[in-house]
Amino acid sequence: MLIESIHSPADIKELNTAQLTALAAEIRSGLMNRLSKCGGHFGPNFGIVEATIALHYVFESPKDKFVFDVSHQCYTHKILTGRKDAFFDDACFGDVSGYTNPEESEHDFFNVGHTSTSVSLACGLAKSRDLKGETGNVIAIIGDGSLSGGEALEGLDFAAELGSNFIIVVNDNDMSIAENHGGLYQNLKALRESNGSCCNNLFRAMGLDYRFVADGNNIAALIEAFSAVKDIDHPTVVHIVTKKGKGYTPAETEKENWHWHMPFDPETGKSPASGSGENYGDLTCEFLLKKMKADKRVVTMVAAVPVCIGFSPDKRKDAGAQFIDVGIAEEHAIAMASGIAKSGGKPVFATHSSFFQRTYDQLSQDLCINSNPATLLVNTASVYGMHDITHLGIFDIAMMSNIPNLVYLAPTNCEEYFAMLEWSIEQDKYPVAIRIPCNGVHHTAQPVDTDYNSLNRYQVIQQGTKTAILALGDFYQIGEALAKLIAEKTGIAPTLINPRYITGLDDAMLEQLKADHDTVITLEDGILNGGFGEKIARFFGPSDMKVHCFGLKKEFLDRYAVEDVLKANHLTPEQIYKDVFEGGKQ
Amino acid sequence: MLIESIHSPADIKELNTAQLTALAAEIRSGLMNRLSKCGGHFGPNFGIVEATIALHYVFESPKDKFVFDVSHQCYTHKILTGRKDAFFDDACFGDVSGYTNPEESEHDFFNVGHTSTSVSLACGLAKSRDLKGETGNVIAIIGDGSLSGGEALEGLDFAAELGSNFIIVVNDNDMSIAENHGGLYQNLKALRESNGSCCNNLFRAMGLDYRFVADGNNIAALIEAFSAVKDIDHPTVVHIVTKKGKGYTPAETEKENWHWHMPFDPETGKSPASGSGENYGDLTCEFLLKKMKADKRVVTMVAAVPVCIGFSPDKRKDAGAQFIDVGIAEEHAIAMASGIAKSGGKPVFATHSSFFQRTYDQLSQDLCINSNPATLLVNTASVYGMHDITHLGIFDIAMMSNIPNLVYLAPTNCEEYFAMLEWSIEQDKYPVAIRIPCNGVHHTAQPVDTDYNSLNRYQVIQQGTKTAILALGDFYQIGEALAKLIAEKTGIAPTLINPRYITGLDDAMLEQLKADHDTVITLEDGILNGGFGEKIARFFGPSDMKVHCFGLKKEFLDRYAVEDVLKANHLTPEQIYKDVFEGGKQ
């Protein structure tokens, strides 16, 4: 096996094309080993094996610097740069993350996880090189799906100004996670069909030089192209056409399903049956489809992650023109949603908490200043959400709840979630965001409010005395357990409150608590800094009320076990009780 | 005068080309009247008079919908849509804002003030029209300077997917506020020089149809082009070439100075001498120039607003390759700064608080997750900053201080500001942001710290008892005055603290306050929600300490008098004293 003697990129320089091709097959077996057992990004990695080999063969990393966009396609790069054990040796799976990571290797320059950042990051490396009078190539590797993102387009536009060595490898597999959306993809298609020579070339229009590689899975062709641009003295694009998922038939044919995949049996491609049916993605999709059929003003919008709210290809087809995937273009999505709402449409835009971070200015400027009544669904907004450092869902309360005019709701169960969603779609006064619950599907037999027009009215679930618990959203169940514990231990039942509204205080209710409570406990599934509990603490600041806020520390977690994080933040009922009533160190 | 009979767009339909041209001259006189007396955006408005007339002549607003990008160039549009008095009649100047405003007119669909939003907002209007089966044209009007913004490029990319009537007027005057930056401007140049026929056409590459108008200040040519695309059934760009500032020679020749201009004498083009010399823009420029000459790793970066830190054309030239204007591309700027810092450069990126809103994800992902040591200067970050609803500088603390790893500093005087800036540039551990003071240039004779490496150490300015004032940044002077007042009225001198660090608590100092203080007052020049004071309130929540937080309400202010806003938020020493010590209603 060739791979056994590959410990760094230098070790592939002596191989010939046939050997490099054999190496590609061995690498795919390593990828298969890890992916079938751990799960991860399949299609993107299988499609770029040859190109990664060719890049390391031609260039000299880390003097020549690679920056992978998103970096979910960096597995082969990791294998070639001293981390192959994490793919071939099951015991070493935990050695690497799913993205580039400077803590693992000098061949990785940045932690990356969001899209469209590689060109700009690489521009910085290039600019620094030039100012210091150093040499070396700087290469950004970006997929076609990422090109629709504003930051990538800003980067492509700026790159021409560098006036020095700068290489952008555009890995075109004609796929985002789902199908691509946007006019520039027609251009990529025209370039593919004309062997890179058609008239209107987006990259040349951006002032960049350009070469085309028709078969981006052919090592010899790639080596030839990369060699031709090595040490080039001006910014240039190398447009390579690859096959997403190449080397594994299920991934080649069902590209959307195999973008990211759970652990599976390599023989069949099948995963063990997932847990018992209900999940908010499918439930939301079902709800929205019904709404859209009944009312053609309702529009469901996503930004390249349709499946986060259950819109598989069939469902998208079913929704027809009322389903819009803008591609990776969240800023555009929010502004467009504002425009739709302005003219009487009923837009519902959904994406992950982490990706809403890309829209702060549009939320504030385009949507909220105009107070246009759009509905935003914030997914995986929770410590229970995604665990990679670049995909955390614990910052959205801090980011969004301090924007004026936005009504941000936190449901505590399934019935409440859909009541809020129904209300939000039908009302025409407020821009509304709703945190999709992320802690399993909880049902309630209690009636839930259907009208949220009178803002900031909290709901008393259980009236008690002395201690009041404000248990927001996904931490409501922790609040319930805490209330029981307090009643048991103190003999006094506390007041349990479901705030519902993240963005405002129920002044009257909070004022009233002063009469017969001396302690308020707040619980929120997000960082405390800039969060909900701090607003409560400020309200009671001038009073005698003691306020204890529980939530997450302001930090970037990475690949964590939820239970560990909850414990570290004292988020179990026992720990909360101890901190509040037994002088535990919070 | 023709203008006297123009009360709505319908009134220009009967005019012939000669009359429309005469109308343009009359409109310029109205613009001159307002701008010379009030100040405002000069060049953009003078350059687009003919195009705006032609748009209203050909189309039927508001059935046909116009969306102006940034909307600072909408003055002629306002004149033609019933608001001419605000330009011709001095008594009516206050009737209109400097941007489109739905509260003023049905011909304005959005409050807009940030760049690059028009295409996306308009896509929403178009999509809604199509879903409802309605008719009418949707027209976005965007300047070439705005095209470099990611959101605009996302919008252009998406527009082709609409598959229905959608018109994008690209107003190309070959200028941003300063000169343009980016490869796509080479393409615009090639299009201008080839009468719109050159090979690589960025807009066609984005899947859009395209027409070119060589003289965008010629009404007949414009009418012909707009008529040709009226009711078109697919997305199309009309690329018009205009002369920024046309009709007033100083504005035509000194385009950068006349983008926005103070009130002036129309005869000479001169403004009254501005206030006494010192301002942070010039001081910062001077400091950075010196730094850059001494150390070629230091790089000053801006995103299209070089003058916010004093970099006039001469100074930019002086800085040479160490000065980078990325154009309107703040996301790219932050990522690029991260890349520069990663490879040993020392980047300093400056823009307005309001424009930092465009970079939230890049601050979090590209910069802070990687903890790369870039320096960010946040300008007009204050209630004393810009007063238009779309340019407020009161949200940056809430937005930025809750991002992990960022060190956000608030200086209270000139010496402290430059000490922080010096430290930040020289250190290599933290991503640092500094709020440039905005309340006039205050000097101190006291020594200031030069080393900020030990994070979150607050500074006691005056040791007292009973009451502690944490006076952050620009509100430090209010804190000083408050301390005096408290000493006078109560006979007990309070403790006055300069926190310096917005992003963290001095736990030891705050803990120590408990010994001999019962009241803490926080002051911050920004909204309270998500701000500094709330963190202090949370710290003291479980204790007996009374905490009173003062700052701004969470709301979008618009064209306000600072004194009124301070009073409404009880931000005078007298009001604070009353609220805290005399049970005034806060």
Side-chain angles (χ1 to χ4, degrees):
Chain A
M1 292 270 278
L2 291 160
I3 191 71
E4 278 155 17
S5 43
I6 309 298
H7 306 289
S8 87
D11 297 328
I12 67 171
K13 305 280 185 187
E14 301 306 312
L15 302 179
N16 62 38
T17 306
Q19 290 172 310
L20 291 172
T21 305
L23 178 64
E26 292 180 21
I27 285 174
R28 282 194 170 83
S29 72
L31 297 178
M32 179 64 80
N33 183 50
R34 181 189 173 94
L35 284 161
S36 63
K37 293 168 184 170
C38 296
H41 286 98
F42 194 101
N45 282 294
F46 265 65
I48 204 175
V49 174
E50 287 81 12
T52 310
I53 290 172
L55 282 169
H56 275 291
Y57 179 87
V58 169
F59 294 100
E60 334 279 336
S61 176
K63 182 183 194 318
D64 295 328
K65 300 172 171 50
F66 297 134
V67 182
F68 289 84
D69 202 274
V70 189
S71 82
H72 60 324
Q73 80 289 57
C74 75
Y75 294 13
T76 300
H77 163 75
K78 290 200 176 191
I79 288 173
L80 294 175
T81 52
R83 291 167 277 182
K84 67 178 191 251
D85 287 346
F87 296 83
F88 288 91
D89 180 355
D90 296 17
C92 296
F93 282 161
D95 289 0
V96 302
S97 73
Y99 304 92
T100 53
N101 189 335
E103 287 173 27
E104 288 173 14
S105 165
E106 58 170 354
H107 294 271
D108 296 1
F109 293 92
F110 305 98
N111 276 296
V112 181
H114 278 192
T115 319
S116 316
T117 71
S118 60
V119 178
S120 300
L121 290 168
C123 279
L125 297 179
K127 184 67 181 177
S128 216
R129 168 201 66 196
D130 296 342
L131 286 173
K132 293 193 285 181
E134 293 174 354
T135 56
N137 295 269
V138 173
I139 306 104
I141 300 106
I142 180 168
D144 57 308
S146 296
L147 288 177
S148 59
E151 191 180 347
L153 294 164
E154 287 184 8
L156 283 176
D157 179 43
F158 180 83
E161 297 244 326
L162 284 170
S164 59
N165 169 282
F166 192 72
I167 299 159
I168 303 167
V169 175
V170 173
N171 175 30
D172 182 0
N173 58 19
D174 196 23
M175 282 293 287
S176 192
I177 295 172
E179 69 286 348
N180 278 319
H181 284 277
L184 72 88
Y185 296 100
Q186 299 170 24
N187 190 234
L188 294 185
K189 181 167 188 274
L191 285 167
R192 289 193 302 270
E193 291 173 352
S194 63
N195 207 39
S197 66
C198 73
C199 183
N200 288 304
N201 181 320
L202 173 68
F203 306 108
R204 292 195 185 279
M206 291 284 205
L208 303 165
D209 199 355
Y210 173 88
R211 331 181 35 107
F212 179 74
V213 179
D215 185 353
N217 290 101
N218 178 299
I219 286 184
L222 289 162
I223 289 174
E224 182 189 346
F226 293 150
S227 302
V229 300
K230 186 177 183 185
D231 299 328
I232 201 166
D233 65 359
H234 58 272
T236 190
V237 164
V238 182
H239 178 192
I240 71 176
V241 182
T242 62
K243 195 174 180 120
K244 194 169 187 178
K246 182 172 177 67
Y248 187 60
T249 310
E252 292 182 18
T253 48
E254 292 170 70
K255 292 181 183 171
E256 187 174 337
N257 287 343
W258 285 87
H259 171 79
W260 188 95
H261 209 279
M262 300 284 289
F264 62 95
D265 176 353
E267 298 282 312
T268 61
K270 300 270 173 248
S271 296
S274 45
S276 68
E278 280 199 320
N279 66 77
Y280 278 107
D282 292 339
L283 292 171
T284 303
C285 175
E286 195 184 315
F287 176 93
L288 290 174
L289 272 172
K290 221 186 290 185
K291 265 304 220 206
M292 288 189 285
K293 288 191 196 300
D295 183 350
K296 68 177 198 286
R297 293 170 300 169
V298 178
V299 173
T300 298
M301 300 176 66
V302 298
V305 281
V307 172
C308 90
I309 45 163
F311 275 85
S312 58
D314 284 345
K315 310 283 187 191
R316 303 200 288 266
K317 204 166 169 193
D318 201 3
Q322 285 168 264
F323 182 88
I324 308 169
D325 182 346
V326 301
I328 297 171
E330 293 86 356
E331 299 172 36
H332 166 78
I334 294 293
M336 186 171 171
S338 182
I340 291 174
K342 171 68 182 179
S343 46
K346 296 177 169 299
V348 181
F349 172 65
T351 195
H352 294 294
S353 159
S354 190
F355 302 156
F356 266 102
Q357 292 179 184
R358 298 158 78 80
T359 74
Y360 181 92
D361 198 39
Q362 292 71 35
L363 287 170
S364 183
Q365 293 271 320
D366 294 321
L367 187 62
C368 289
I369 281 177
N370 290 288
S371 267
N372 284 332
T375 300
L376 311 175
L377 293 177
V378 190
N379 203 25
T380 53
S382 170
V383 68
Y384 295 103
M386 296 192 279
H387 297 178
D388 291 295
I389 192 174
T390 48
H391 288 72
L392 302 170
I394 61 176
F395 303 114
D396 55 279
I397 290 179
M399 183 186 81
M400 291 167 65
S401 73
N402 304 307
I403 298 173
N405 299 352
L406 184 69
V407 176
Y408 198 7
L409 301 174
T412 59
N413 58 58
C414 186
E415 286 71 21
E416 190 166 40
Y417 166 56
F418 285 107
M420 289 171 168
L421 181 50
E422 172 70 31
W423 166 79
S424 179
I425 292 174
E426 291 310 320
Q427 60 88 28
D428 63 1
K429 247 180 106 177
Y430 308 109
V432 175
I434 302 169
R435 258 185 151 212
I436 301 177
C438 197
N439 59 352
V441 181
H442 294 268
H443 287 283
T444 182
Q446 301 304 317
V448 293
D449 274 350
T450 53
D451 182 350
Y452 294 85
N453 276 315
S454 305
L455 299 182
N456 310 327
R457 294 169 304 115
Y458 297 174
Q459 187 180 51
V460 174
I461 302 299
Q462 166 188 298
Q463 186 66 55
T465 55
K466 214 160 173 315
T467 303
I469 305 164
L470 278 79
L472 186 71
D474 276 359
F475 280 5
Y476 174 75
Q477 286 73 23
I478 296 177
E480 264 189 325
L482 175 64
K484 275 209 189 75
L485 188 66
I486 291 173
E488 276 166 26
K489 292 210 167 193
T490 68
I492 303 172
T495 298
L496 179 60
I497 295 168
N498 171 9
R500 291 101 59 85
Y501 298 83
I502 307 174
T503 29
L505 301 188
D506 188 333
D507 290 331
M509 183 187 288
L510 296 177
E511 196 59 46
Q512 215 183 10
L513 288 177
K514 290 179 183 175
D516 50 0
H517 297 71
D518 53 45
T519 300
V520 166
I521 300 169
T522 69
L523 304 171
E524 64 196 280
D525 188 358
I527 62 168
L528 288 167
N529 276 260
F532 174 75
E534 286 189 344
K535 298 163 180 32
I536 303 296
R538 172 162 63 89
F539 177 91
F540 287 113
S543 76
D544 289 323
M545 189 74 80
K546 303 285 186 286
V547 180
H548 301 255
C549 302
F550 291 84
L552 302 172
K553 212 172 120 205
K554 179 180 83 171
E555 60 181 345
F556 287 118
L557 301 166
D558 192 19
R559 285 165 288 155
Y560 56 92
V562 176
E563 295 315 308
D564 292 348
V565 172
L566 292 176
K567 229 177 263 160
N569 287 282
H570 289 215
L571 280 162
T572 62
E574 293 72 25
Q575 287 172 302
I576 297 168
Y577 183 89
K578 191 158 178 225
D579 284 350
V580 176
F581 298 101
E582 293 174 358
K585 201 165 150 59
Q586 196 171 333
Chain B
M1 293 268 277
L2 291 160
I3 191 73
E4 279 155 15
S5 42
I6 308 298
H7 307 290
S8 86
D11 296 327
I12 67 170
K13 303 282 185 187
E14 300 306 311
L15 303 178
N16 61 39
T17 306
Q19 289 171 311
L20 292 171
T21 304
L23 179 64
E26 292 180 21
I27 286 174
R28 282 192 169 86
S29 73
L31 297 178
M32 179 63 81
N33 183 52
R34 180 187 174 95
L35 285 161
S36 64
K37 292 169 184 170
C38 297
H41 286 98
F42 193 100
N45 280 294
F46 266 66
I48 205 175
V49 174
E50 287 81 13
T52 310
I53 290 172
L55 281 168
H56 276 289
Y57 179 87
V58 170
F59 294 100
E60 333 280 336
S61 176
K63 182 183 195 319
D64 295 327
K65 300 171 172 46
F66 298 134
V67 182
F68 290 84
D69 202 274
V70 189
S71 83
H72 60 321
Q73 80 289 56
C74 75
Y75 294 13
T76 299
H77 164 75
K78 291 199 176 192
I79 288 172
L80 294 175
T81 52
R83 291 166 278 181
K84 66 178 190 250
D85 288 346
F87 297 83
F88 289 90
D89 180 356
D90 295 17
C92 297
F93 282 161
D95 288 359
V96 302
S97 73
Y99 304 91
T100 52
N101 190 336
E103 286 172 29
E104 288 173 15
S105 167
E106 59 171 351
H107 294 271
D108 295 2
F109 292 91
F110 304 98
N111 276 297
V112 181
H114 278 192
T115 319
S116 316
T117 71
S118 61
V119 179
S120 300
L121 290 168
C123 278
L125 297 180
K127 184 68 182 178
S128 215
R129 169 201 65 197
D130 296 342
L131 286 173
K132 293 191 288 180
E134 292 174 354
T135 57
N137 294 270
V138 174
I139 305 105
I141 300 109
I142 180 168
D144 58 308
S146 296
L147 288 177
S148 60
E151 192 182 346
L153 294 163
E154 287 185 7
L156 283 176
D157 179 42
F158 180 83
E161 298 244 325
L162 283 170
S164 59
N165 168 282
F166 192 74
I167 298 158
I168 303 166
V169 175
V170 174
N171 175 30
D172 182 0
N173 57 20
D174 196 24
M175 281 293 287
S176 192
I177 295 173
E179 69 284 350
N180 279 320
H181 284 276
L184 72 87
Y185 296 100
Q186 298 169 23
N187 191 234
L188 294 184
K189 181 166 189 274
L191 286 167
R192 288 193 304 269
E193 292 174 353
S194 64
N195 207 39
S197 65
C198 73
C199 182
N200 288 305
N201 181 320
L202 173 69
F203 306 108
R204 291 195 186 280
M206 291 283 205
L208 304 165
D209 197 356
Y210 174 88
R211 355 182 7 118
F212 179 75
V213 179
D215 186 352
N217 290 102
N218 179 299
I219 287 184
L222 289 163
I223 288 175
E224 182 188 351
F226 293 151
S227 302
V229 300
K230 186 178 183 184
D231 298 327
I232 202 166
D233 65 0
H234 57 274
T236 189
V237 164
V238 182
H239 178 192
I240 71 175
V241 183
T242 62
K243 193 173 181 122
K244 194 169 188 179
K246 182 172 176 68
Y248 187 60
T249 310
E252 290 183 18
T253 49
E254 293 170 69
K255 292 181 181 169
E256 188 174 337
N257 287 343
W258 285 86
H259 171 79
W260 188 96
H261 209 279
M262 300 286 289
F264 62 95
D265 176 353
E267 300 282 312
T268 63
K270 300 270 171 247
S271 298
S274 44
S276 67
E278 280 199 319
N279 67 77
Y280 279 106
D282 292 338
L283 291 170
T284 304
C285 175
E286 196 185 313
F287 177 95
L288 289 174
L289 273 172
K290 220 186 291 187
K291 263 307 221 201
M292 289 189 285
K293 288 191 198 295
D295 183 349
K296 69 175 197 286
R297 292 169 302 169
V298 178
V299 173
T300 298
M301 300 176 66
V302 299
V305 281
V307 171
C308 89
I309 44 161
F311 275 84
S312 58
D314 283 345
K315 310 283 188 193
R316 305 201 286 266
K317 205 164 172 198
D318 201 5
Q322 286 167 264
F323 181 87
I324 307 168
D325 183 346
V326 302
I328 297 172
E330 292 85 356
E331 299 174 34
H332 166 79
I334 293 295
M336 186 172 172
S338 181
I340 290 175
K342 170 68 181 177
S343 45
K346 294 173 170 302
V348 180
F349 171 66
T351 195
H352 294 295
S353 159
S354 191
F355 302 155
F356 266 102
Q357 292 179 183
R358 296 156 81 80
T359 74
Y360 181 92
D361 198 39
Q362 292 72 34
L363 288 170
S364 182
Q365 293 271 320
D366 295 321
L367 186 63
C368 290
I369 281 177
N370 290 288
S371 267
N372 284 332
T375 300
L376 312 175
L377 294 178
V378 190
N379 203 26
T380 54
S382 170
V383 69
Y384 296 102
M386 295 191 279
H387 298 179
D388 292 295
I389 192 173
T390 48
H391 288 72
L392 301 172
I394 61 176
F395 303 114
D396 55 278
I397 290 179
M399 183 186 83
M400 291 166 66
S401 73
N402 304 307
I403 298 173
N405 298 351
L406 185 69
V407 176
Y408 198 6
L409 301 173
T412 59
N413 57 59
C414 186
E415 285 71 22
E416 190 167 40
Y417 166 56
F418 285 107
M420 289 171 168
L421 181 50
E422 171 71 30
W423 166 78
S424 180
I425 292 174
E426 291 310 320
Q427 61 86 30
D428 64 0
K429 246 180 107 181
Y430 308 109
V432 175
I434 303 169
R435 259 186 151 212
I436 302 178
C438 196
N439 59 352
V441 182
H442 294 270
H443 286 282
T444 183
Q446 301 304 315
V448 292
D449 274 350
T450 52
D451 182 351
Y452 295 85
N453 275 316
S454 304
L455 301 182
N456 309 326
R457 292 168 307 115
Y458 297 175
Q459 187 180 51
V460 175
I461 302 297
Q462 166 186 300
Q463 187 65 55
T465 56
K466 216 163 173 312
T467 302
I469 304 165
L470 278 81
L472 186 72
D474 276 0
F475 279 5
Y476 175 77
Q477 286 73 24
I478 296 177
E480 264 187 325
L482 176 63
K484 275 209 191 73
L485 188 65
I486 291 173
E488 277 167 25
K489 292 209 167 197
T490 68
I492 304 172
T495 298
L496 178 61
I497 295 167
N498 171 11
R500 291 101 59 85
Y501 297 82
I502 307 174
T503 28
L505 301 188
D506 189 334
D507 291 331
M509 183 186 289
L510 296 178
E511 198 57 46
Q512 214 182 9
L513 288 177
K514 290 179 182 175
D516 50 1
H517 297 70
D518 53 46
T519 300
V520 166
I521 299 169
T522 69
L523 305 171
E524 66 196 279
D525 188 358
I527 61 167
L528 287 167
N529 276 260
F532 174 75
E534 287 189 344
K535 298 161 179 38
I536 303 296
R538 173 163 62 91
F539 178 89
F540 287 114
S543 76
D544 289 324
M545 189 75 79
K546 302 288 186 288
V547 180
H548 301 255
C549 302
F550 291 85
L552 302 173
K553 207 171 125 210
K554 180 180 82 173
E555 60 180 346
F556 288 119
L557 301 166
D558 192 19
R559 287 165 288 153
Y560 56 91
V562 176
E563 297 314 309
D564 292 347
V565 172
L566 292 176
K567 228 176 264 161
N569 287 281
H570 289 214
L571 280 161
T572 63
E574 294 71 26
Q575 287 172 303
I576 296 167
Y577 184 87
K578 190 160 178 220
D579 285 350
V580 175
F581 298 103
E582 294 175 357
K585 198 163 149 59
Q586 197 170 331

